C-alpha cells in the first residue's frame, strides 16, 4: 500500500478550509485572536513602565488614574475580546471535529472497497486515522488549536525582537541562540518520537481494542464462564506497562531541551540586566524605559519558548493528520460512480455467472487460497458449494460479492467482468447471508430494509420476516419491528439468539430480492427442525434466481441442481447429490460419516463435530 505524504502547510490548509466552510465565524475569530492577543501583550508590557514613569516624574493621583487606569481598562477590553474569540474558535473546533472530520472518517470506512478495509495494514492505518480525531488534544483539533498560537507567537517575535535590536543587538543574538538551541534539542527528542511513531500508534490501537472488548457484553460471557479476567487484565496491564516504558524513554530525550532552556535563560537574564543597568547608570535610558525594555525582553523570550512549543506540538499532530488524510485518500480499486450500470430488467432476471481460471491469495507472497477455479453457473441454477474449513468457500463468496479482485483469471456476471461494473450498481445484483453475522444496534425494520422506516415497504418487510420464520418473534416484542437490537441505543433493546439473528439476516436478504443469491452457512446456528423449514423456504425463495449455497452439512445440499466439492482451493468433484454418492469419492465418504450423526427425525445420535470428518 503506497502511502501519500503531506506537508505541514498542506495539512493546515486542508483543516482550515474545512473549518471555515463548516463554521464560517472562525474566519473572523481567528485573526481577531491573533492580533488582539498581540495588542494585549503590548499593553501588558506598557503598564509597569507607565507606573514607573508616573513615579519617576512625580505626577499626581489624577494622572496616575488616567494613564495607568486607562491602559488597564484598554487591556481589560482587549483581553475580553481575545477570550470571546478564543472560546468561539475552540468550540468551533470541537464541533467541526465531531460533525465533519469524524463523519468523513466513518463515511470512508463504510464506502471504501472491502479489500482496503480487511487487510491488517489498512486496519493499522485506520487505527491511526481514528486516533487523529479521538480527542481535543490530538491530531486534527490539536493542529487547529496550535495555528493561532504559532502565528501570534511568530508575529510577537518580529514585533518585540525589532524593539530589542534597536536597544542592543547582543541581547537579540543571545535570544536567537536560545531559539536555535531549543529547536535543535527538541528536534533530537522529536526524531526519537518519529522513529517509533508507528510502534506507539500500534500499542495505542491494541490497548484500545482490549478496553473495548473488556466492556463488550458478548465477550463478558466468556470472561466470566472461563475465569479469564486475570489473564485479560494481565494482557491489558502488559500493554499499559509498555506504554509507560515508552513514555519514560521519550521523557529522557526531552531532558536536553529543558537543560538547554535553563542555561540560556540564566544567560539571557544576566546579559540583559548587565547591559540595561549600565545604560541606565550612564543615563542612556530612564527607569521607565528600563522597565519597558525588561518587559520587552521577557515577553520576547516567552513568545520564543511558546513558539517552539507550538511548532513541536503542531509537528507531532501534523503526522497524525497525515495518517488521517491517508485514510480518506485511500484509493479504491473497483469502479465507483462509473462503469457498467445495472438495468431494472437485469435486477429481475436470474444472472449467468462464470469463473474463468480464477486464482486468489490474500497476501502477495502468501498461500494460494483458490487455485485455477473454472465453473459456470447457468441462469436460475442452484449450486451447492461444500468442503471443509479453510478450503476457500468463504473466499470464493468474497470474490463473487465484488469485495476482492482475483489474482488471476476473471469473474463474469451476465457476460460482463465484475471489474467493469460500477461496484455500487453490481451490489444491487447480489444478496448474501454471511457466515459471520454482524449485529447492528438499530431497529429491526432498519436492519431488514437497510433504510429508515419511512422509506421501507412495510408489506414487503412483513413478508420477508415471515418467510424467514421470524414474524412471530417480532410480533411478540413490545415495540415489534421498531425494537432495537441490544441496549446500546435504546434501554429497551433486546438481544436475539444466534438462530434468531441468522433468521434476521435471511429476512434482510429476502427483502433485498437480488437475482444472485449467496447463502454462506445460513443455518449453522439453527436446530434441525428450524433448519429443515429454512431449506424448504430457501428452495422457494431461489425461484427465478441464480443461487449458491455453502454448507458443511452435505445432507442440506440435496435440493441443489449441482454440487461442487472444494478441497485445497480446487474443485475436486462435481455433480448432483445422487451422482456424487454413486461415484464413491470424497463427497460420498464424508456424507456417509455425517449421516451417522442424525436420525431421520433430527435427533443427535453421537457426539462430535461434523467438521472433523473433513480431516
Amino acid at each position: 500500500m503506497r502511502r501519500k505524504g503531506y506537508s505541514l502547510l498542506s495539512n493546515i490548509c486542508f483543516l482550515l478550509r474545512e473549518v471555515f466552510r463548516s463554521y464560517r465565524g472562525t474566519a473572523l475569530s481567528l485573526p481577531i485572536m491573533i492580533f488582539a492577543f498581540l495588542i494585549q501583550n503590548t499593553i501588558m508590557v506598557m503598564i509597569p513602565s507607565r507606573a514607573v514613569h508616573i513615579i519617576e516624574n512625580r505626577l499626581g493621583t489624577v494622572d496616575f488614574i488616567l494613564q495607568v487606569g486607562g491602559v488597564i481598562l484598554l487591556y481589560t477590553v482587549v483581553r475580553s475580546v481575545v477570550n470571546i474569540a478564543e472560546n468561539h474558535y475552540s468550540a468551533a473546533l470541537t464541533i467541526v471535529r465531531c460533525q465533519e472530520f469524524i463523519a468523513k472518517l466513518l463515511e470512508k470506512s463504510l464506502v471504501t472497497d472491502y479489500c482496503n478495509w480487511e487487510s491488517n495494514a489498512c486496519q493499522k492505518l485506520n487505527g491511526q486515522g481514528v486516533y487523529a480525531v479521538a480527542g481535543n488534544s490530538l491530531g486534527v483539533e490539536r493542529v487547529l488549536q496550535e495555528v493561532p498560537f504559532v502565528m501570534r507567537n511568530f508575529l510577537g517575535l518580529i514585533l518585540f525582537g525589532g524593539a530589542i535590536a534597536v536597544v542592543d543587538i547582543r541581547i537579540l543574538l543571545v535570544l536567537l541562540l536560545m531559539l536555535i538551541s531549543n529547536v535543535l534539542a527538541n528536534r533530537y527528542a522529536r526524531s526519537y518520537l518519529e522513529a517509533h511513531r508507528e510502534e506507539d500508534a500500534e500499542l495505542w490501537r491494541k490497548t484500545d481494542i482490549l478496553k473495548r472488548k473488556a466492556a463488550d457484553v458478548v465477550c463478558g460471557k466468556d470472561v466470566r464462564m472461563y475465569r479469564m479476567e486475570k489473564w485479560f487484565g494481565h494482557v491489558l496491564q502488559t500493554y499499559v506497562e509498555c506504554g509507560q516504558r515508552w513514555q519514560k524513554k521519550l521523557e529522557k530525550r526531552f531532558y536536553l531541551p529543558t537543560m538547554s532552556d535553563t542555561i540560556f535563560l540564566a544567560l539571557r537574564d544576566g546579559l540583559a540586566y548587565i547591559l540595561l543597568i549600565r545604560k541606565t547608570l550612564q543615563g542612556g535610558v530612564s527607569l521607565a524605559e528600563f522597565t519597558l525594555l525588561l518587559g520587552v525582553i521577557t515577553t520576547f523570550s516567552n513568545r520564543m519558548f511558546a513558539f517552539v512549543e507550538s511548532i513541536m506540538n503542531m509537528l507531532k499532530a501534523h503526522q497524525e493528520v497525515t495518517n488521517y488524510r491517508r485514510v480518506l485518500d485511500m484509493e479504491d480499486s473497483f469502479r465507483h460512480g462509473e462503469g457498467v450500470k445495472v438495468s431494472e430488467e437485469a435486477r429481475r432476471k436470474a444472472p449467468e455467472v462464470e469463473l474463468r481460471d480464477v486464482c486468489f491469495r490474500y497476501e502477495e507472497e502468501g498461500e494460494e487460497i483458490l487455485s485455477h477455479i473454472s465453473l459456470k453457473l447457468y441462469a436460475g441454477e442452484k449450486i451447492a458449494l461444500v468442503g471443509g474449513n479453510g478450503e476457500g468457500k468463504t473466499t470464493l463468496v468474497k470474490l463473487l460479492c465484488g469485495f476482492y479482485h482475483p489474482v488471476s483469471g476473471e469473474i463474469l456476471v451476465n457476460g460482463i467482468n465484475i471489474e467493469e461494473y460500477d461496484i455500487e450498481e453490481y451490489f444491487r445484483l447480489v444478496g448474501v447471508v454471511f457466515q459471520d453475522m454482524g449485529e447492528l444496534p438499530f431497529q429491526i425494520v432498519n436492519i431488514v430494509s437497510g433504510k429508515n422506516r419511512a422509506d421501507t415497504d412495510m408489506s414487503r418487510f412483513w413478508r420477508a420476516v415471515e418467510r424467514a420464520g421470524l414474524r412471530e418473534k417480532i410480533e411478540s416484542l413490545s415495540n415489534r419491528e421498531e425494537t432495537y437490537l441490544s441496549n446500546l441505543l435504546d434501554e429497551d433493546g433486546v438481544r436475539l439468539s444466534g438462530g434468531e439473528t441468522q433468521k434476521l439476516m435471511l429476512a434482510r436478504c429476502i427483502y433485498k430480492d437480488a437475482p444472485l443469491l449467496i447463502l454462506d452457512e445460513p443455518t449453522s446456528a439453527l436446530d434441525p427442525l428450524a433448519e429443515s423449514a429454512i431449506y424448504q423456504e430457501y428452495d422457494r425463495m431461489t425461484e427465478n434466481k441464480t443461487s449458491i449455497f455453502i454448507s458443511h452439512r452435505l445432507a442440506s445440499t440435496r435440493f441443489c441442481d449441482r454440487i461442487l466439492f472444494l478441497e485445497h482451493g480446487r474443485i475436486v468433484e462435481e455433480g448432483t447429490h445422487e451422482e456424487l454418492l454413486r461415484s464413491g469419492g470424497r463427497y460420498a465418504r464424508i456424507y456417509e460419516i455425517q449421516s451417522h450423526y442424525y436420525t431421520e427425525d433430527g435427533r443427535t445420535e453421537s457426539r462430535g463435530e461434523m467438521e472433523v470428518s473433513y480431516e
Side-chain angles (χ1 to χ4, degrees), residues 305-475:
F305 286 125
F307 176 74
V308 173
E309 182 181 5
S310 293
I311 286 291
M312 293 300 122
N313 289 336
M314 183 177 280
L315 287 174
K316 178 179 181 296
H318 149 66
Q319 186 57 48
E320 295 164 1
V321 174
T322 293
N323 291 331
Y324 171 83
R325 293 185 69 184
R326 282 173 177 165
V327 176
L328 294 189
D329 293 341
M330 196 183 296
E331 295 181 357
D332 290 320
S333 51
F334 285 98
R335 298 173 184 267
H336 291 261
E338 57 182 24
V340 177
K341 307 300 180 184
V342 174
S343 66
E344 286 305 315
E345 181 184 359
R347 281 267 294 129
R348 293 190 296 268
K349 182 180 177 183
E352 183 177 272
V353 180
E354 183 178 4
L355 283 76
R356 294 178 180 172
D357 198 32
V358 169
C359 297
F360 181 79
R361 60 172 63 91
Y362 284 99
E363 301 294 337
E364 188 173 345
E365 302 298 328
E367 177 187 357
E368 195 168 64
I369 308 299
L370 296 175
S371 181
H372 302 284
I373 300 289
S374 293
L375 65 95
K376 192 167 187 177
L377 284 69
Y378 298 99
E381 188 178 19
K382 299 181 180 70
I383 293 291
L385 192 62
V386 299
N389 289 324
E391 302 293 356
K393 302 187 302 298
T394 298
T395 298
L396 188 56
V397 169
K398 291 178 181 178
L399 290 173
L400 288 170
C401 287
F403 291 161
Y404 282 91
H405 304 272
V407 171
S408 62
E410 56 183 356
I411 301 174
L412 308 177
V413 176
N414 287 331
I416 302 171
N417 193 320
I418 289 179
E419 312 276 339
E420 299 300 320
Y421 279 98
D422 177 341
I423 195 63
E424 282 87 1
E425 289 282 310
Y426 177 74
F427 288 155
R428 298 174 64 201
L429 292 174
V430 187
V432 191
V433 176
F434 294 105
Q435 183 178 7
D436 47 347
M437 298 171 293
E439 188 178 87
L440 298 171
F442 303 127
Q443 291 181 352
I444 291 174
V445 64
N446 306 141
I447 294 170
V448 171
S449 68
K451 304 174 182 177
N452 294 323
R453 181 189 171 90
D455 299 323
T456 299
D457 183 335
M458 292 308 298
S459 60
R460 183 174 168 185
F461 164 82
W462 286 112
R463 285 197 303 271
V465 295
E466 184 169 11
R467 293 178 66 182
L470 200 60
R471 178 164 188 155
E472 186 177 346
K473 172 66 178 181
I474 294 174
E475 289 179 335

Side-chain angles (χ1 to χ4, degrees), residues 4 30 50 53 79 106 113 132-133 143 174 227 286 289 319 328 335 343 362 372 444 474 516 537 582 603:
K4 293 183 178 180
L30 180 58
R50 293 312 302 167
H53 173 77
R79 183 179 175 83
L106 291 175
D113 289 341
V133 291
V143 168
V174 171
R227 311 309 303 164
S286 65
E289 292 170 335
Q319 186 57 48
L328 294 189
R335 298 173 184 267
S343 66
Y362 284 99
H372 302 284
I444 291 174
I474 294 174
L516 176 58
E537 178 55 41
R582 284 196 300 269
R603 290 176 300 170

Side-chain angles (χ1 to χ4, degrees), residues 81 121 146 237 244 253 277 321 561 574 595 604:
V81 171
E146 298 298 339
Q237 183 63 29
Q244 291 173 343
R253 265 65 181 187
I277 290 173
V321 174
D561 301 316
E574 179 180 349
S595 65
T604 302

Side-chain angles (χ1 to χ4, degrees), residues 172-209:
L172 183 60
L173 289 175
V174 171
L175 292 171
L176 292 176
L177 283 174
M178 287 177 63
L179 176 62
I180 294 169
S181 173
N182 188 280
V183 169
L184 292 176
N186 273 285
R187 185 177 178 182
Y188 161 76
R190 195 67 60 181
S191 63
Y192 179 82
L193 176 64
E194 293 299 326
H196 296 81
R197 181 178 297 279
E198 288 200 12
E199 176 186 335
D200 178 41
E202 183 65 5
L203 186 63
W204 178 87
R205 185 180 74 89
K206 290 177 178 178
T207 304
D208 183 62
I209 289 173

